Amino acid sequence: MYRARAYSASSSTSPLASDTIARREPTGRDVQIEILYCGVCHSDLHYVRDEWHDAMPAVYPCVPGHEIIGRVTRTGPDVGALRAGDLVGVGCLVDSDHDCPNCREGLEQFCPNMVLTYGSPDSHGTAPVTYGGYSDSVVVDERFVVRIPSNLDPAAAAPLLCAGITTYSPMRHWRVGPGKKVGVVGLGGLGHMGVKFAHALGAHTVVFTTSESKRDDAIRLGADEVVLSKDANRMKAHAGSFDFILDCVSANHDVNSYINLLTRDGNLTLVGAPEKPLPVAAFALIFGRRSLSGSPIGGIAETQEMFDFCGQHRITSDVEVIPIQKINEAYDRLLRSDVKYRFCIDMASLRSE
């Protein structure tokens, strides 16, 4: 066991502050990683403030962060392909049971015994719960570590480990590609990645937004069209024409207005998570054999596939890089949607304290 530098919260109302935490020494198939960058996800804020108490009660002190980019510094005796110096990533998962039907299919994100990067019981006994990437190092089973293409900016690649795979996975599942018409609802941290992937996959990409001011940015990111969702005539003009719609909105909204835009056998997938249930009109689904589904992150193999795709197409997230000392300010800005489109922490700032 060793001590690592980190930023942690001691309660749901306290700011994140400098701390030291316990990390296990690498054993077996473990790799120790020096963390270079860690993306900031809205989930981090939810967990720190215990806003998911009923589903995932926070345990304090908590160290968030599940968009980790770093370099391997040490490896356990049974590690196979990874070596010291490799540029790697760790996302939302750090372990699973490896034996359930989901794991055997490479779908670790659905494992009933998955271990989240932060906030899950620590089976190694190093700490009460797992600690995330707001730290200078982490130790992870090599099976949950992915390689990062050398041509990607590591800071801009960090959010791919959550926002990236969350949008890439459902597009692959629903076979987004050339000849498909795809909608992306909401142009934020998730939505901007959805636009980039839909465009790179060869689909005709349409962004739905409530803000005219986002039109130019949507086009820059790869959208072929931009539709103001408040314009009833423009919405009606697209009725029954979409093969797939990715809904990235976490606020309450009318999902039926988008279901009506689907063609026969079209699908709308929710990746945003509104706090309250969304009313769904049954007839909008029944007539047209349309479907409404949800999707989390992808499995480890699919996450590696995504990074290889991103390396091929030079896709990264649009990030604002911050020092760790500005993380509390960044959380306040997240609440105001004051970022284009993701924050990423430069962990050199933590080592300089």
Side-chain angles (χ1 to χ4, degrees):
M1 188 182 299
Y2 69 97
R3 304 295 294 182
R5 296 177 182 176
Y7 259 55
S8 71
S10 58
S11 74
S12 62
T13 57
S14 65
L16 289 152
S18 183
D19 195 2
T20 60
I21 57 173
R23 296 288 197 192
R24 69 180 185 274
E25 298 288 342
T27 61
R29 301 182 67 168
D30 287 339
V31 294
Q32 183 174 330
I33 300 166
E34 176 191 15
I35 300 175
L36 303 177
Y37 297 96
C38 185
V40 178
C41 179
H42 212 118
S43 300
D44 299 345
L45 188 155
H46 287 308
Y47 183 75
V48 164
R49 298 188 175 178
D50 203 20
E51 292 172 354
W52 290 341
H53 182 83
D54 292 341
M56 185 183 174
V59 176
Y60 299 98
C62 67
V63 178
H66 57 209
E67 300 175 350
I68 300 167
I69 298 285
R71 290 202 181 274
V72 175
T73 54
R74 297 170 61 193
T75 61
D78 302 321
V79 170
L82 295 174
R83 296 289 182 270
D86 288 346
L87 186 66
V88 296
V90 177
C92 302
L93 304 178
V94 292
D95 209 352
S96 68
D97 63 25
H98 307 283
D99 194 44
C100 70
N102 293 315
C103 286
R104 290 198 296 269
E105 291 183 48
L107 301 171
E108 298 91 349
Q109 74 272 30
F110 300 117
C111 175
N113 300 304
M114 65 180 175
V115 180
L116 299 175
T117 306
Y118 60 83
S120 284
D122 185 353
S123 60
H124 298 273
T126 312
V129 293
T130 52
Y131 293 139
Y134 294 11
S135 176
D136 62 3
S137 70
V138 67
V139 177
V140 182
D141 186 311
E142 68 166 335
R143 290 170 287 187
F144 288 81
V145 178
V146 296
R147 290 182 178 275
I148 307 303
S150 60
N151 66 332
L152 298 182
D153 173 3
L160 297 176
L161 288 151
C162 181
I165 189 59
T166 296
T167 51
Y168 179 86
S169 183
M171 289 193 185
R172 292 293 287 161
H173 179 77
W174 292 100
R175 297 179 176 86
V176 167
K180 301 288 187 178
K181 186 176 179 181
V182 171
V184 177
V185 185
L187 195 66
L190 290 173
H192 95 287
M193 290 307 311
V195 175
K196 291 186 179 189
F197 284 133
H199 174 75
L201 288 165
H204 181 86
T205 305
V206 180
V207 168
F208 293 95
T209 178
T210 60
S211 176
E212 174 65 31
S213 64
K214 292 188 176 182
R215 179 180 297 277
D216 289 346
D217 227 20
I219 298 297
R220 174 185 66 83
L221 293 165
D224 297 291
E225 298 181 58
V226 180
V227 174
L228 291 179
S229 56
K230 295 180 288 188
D231 186 334
N233 290 330
R234 287 295 310 281
M235 293 288 284
K236 186 177 180 180
H238 286 276
S241 66
F242 282 85
D243 300 286
F244 176 78
I245 296 177
L246 187 74
D247 189 333
C248 304
V249 177
S250 294
N252 187 45
H253 62 291
D254 180 16
V255 72
N256 298 293
S257 64
Y258 298 104
I259 292 174
N260 286 325
L261 302 184
L262 295 172
T263 186
R264 189 203 70 221
D265 292 323
N267 169 266
L268 186 149
T269 293
L270 299 173
V271 290
E275 180 183 355
K276 297 180 180 179
L278 299 176
V280 175
F283 286 118
L285 296 175
I286 292 170
F287 291 103
R289 201 165 57 190
R290 298 156 171 159
S291 63
L292 172 66
S293 61
S295 182
I297 57 171
I300 304 305
E302 189 173 53
T303 303
Q304 186 64 69
E305 174 193 304
M306 176 205 65
F307 269 104
D308 295 342
F309 181 85
C310 288
Q312 179 184 356
H313 294 272
R314 296 184 178 275
I315 294 173
T316 54
S317 180
D318 287 22
V319 297
E320 179 180 334
V321 180
I322 62 169
I324 189 70
Q325 293 81 8
K326 289 192 174 182
I327 187 59
N328 295 298
E329 176 186 328
Y331 276 16
D332 290 340
R333 289 178 58 192
L334 267 182
L335 292 173
R336 302 195 302 270
S337 299
D338 179 24
V339 59
K340 286 188 174 180
Y341 283 93
R342 304 283 284 200
F343 288 114
C344 183
I345 305 166
D346 182 349
M347 284 303 166
S349 61
L350 177 60
R351 287 183 282 274
S352 68
E353 286 196 336

